[in-house]
Amino acid sequence: MRTFALVTASGAALLTAGTPAPATLVVPADLDPAAAPAPAPRPVLSAVPLTLVAKVHQAPARAHRSRPPSSPARGRGGEVGAADLLAKVSACEQVSNGKYRTDEATLPTVPVCGANGAVFWKADLDIDCDGQVTAACNPATDPAFHGDTAFHTSDGRPLNAERLPYVVVPAPSGVWDYTESGIKGGGVVAVVHGEKVEYAVVGDVGPERIVGEASYATAKSLGINPDPSSGGAPSGVTYILFRDSRVSPIEDHEAAVRTGRALAEEFVH
């Protein structure tokens, strides 16, 4: 038998760019060497540095692209907005026996409406400055000033209209008696004007036939001119009074806001 040298290369030899080691091919003796096919030429391979191979194998896998976080859903757990509240009071199921005036000179056009866990009405907002004498609320700034309120603070004083957001309810009459609807002094009220919501308390009682009055502080927080002589809003204010609610002490506005937000969540959902 005759032998021919055939060149092969191993992966390790290529990586180290070394000369390939020859291998031996055995050919039968009766085979004419001239007739045997010539070995295919060995391709020339460039040397690959080991350091490059190492870097390729050590490269970290590409991280999956995370989806952008979605916007938090409105509703449970989120603060209820003016639009949410107004949507729930778009229709009126009247619970009063008649309607109220917004002022002495106007016709009675405002009913008290019932809702799930609340009563509400839509009216104007007249400024109530009654209660404690302050820089903004006193006989000089308000010709109709009265130094008392129907409900008092925990230390027995009248409410402070300049600092405490509160709402005035009409005195009980044949038209409607607020006490029979589960409304009481210190009860929580959501007052809506435009895109703003202020949580207040039931703080005073007004005339039997008129609705649509709130304290200086309520108007100011809603962006309404709070001046007792020239301020107020002629319309577009919604008052939502939550049944069987009460903040104690009545002057704790932060408690009214916390309670109001929770009640508003229940009311909307």
Side-chain angles (χ1 to χ4, degrees), residues 112-168:
V112 176
C113 308
N116 184 25
V119 296
F120 67 92
W121 58 80
K122 301 178 182 182
D124 62 347
L125 191 153
D126 294 328
I127 307 300
D128 187 338
C129 245
D130 294 345
Q132 297 179 30
V133 174
T134 66
C137 295
N138 57 69
T141 61
D142 181 8
F145 177 80
H146 181 62
D148 199 5
T149 51
F151 306 104
H152 294 163
T153 62
S154 55
D155 59 2
R157 294 185 299 163
L159 302 182
N160 185 328
E162 183 179 351
R163 300 188 62 179
L164 180 66
Y166 70 75
V167 165
V168 181

Side-chain angles (χ1 to χ4, degrees), residues 35-62:
R42 178 170 60 90
V44 179
L45 301 176
S46 58
V48 181
L50 283 175
T51 56
L52 178 59
V53 174
K55 287 182 180 180
V56 171
H57 285 288
Q58 293 175 3
R62 180 178 297 177

Side-chain angles (χ1 to χ4, degrees), residues 73-89 190-192 194-199 240 242 257-269:
R74 289 187 59 80
R76 305 210 65 82
E79 185 175 345
V80 171
D84 301 313
L85 290 169
L86 293 177
K88 296 296 290 186
V89 297
V191 188
V192 184
E195 296 182 353
K196 294 185 177 181
V197 179
E198 177 59 277
Y199 293 101
I240 304 172
F242 298 105
V257 172
R258 290 194 304 270
T259 304
R261 287 175 175 170
L263 291 172
E265 281 286 342
E266 294 180 9
F267 181 63
V268 168
H269 299 291

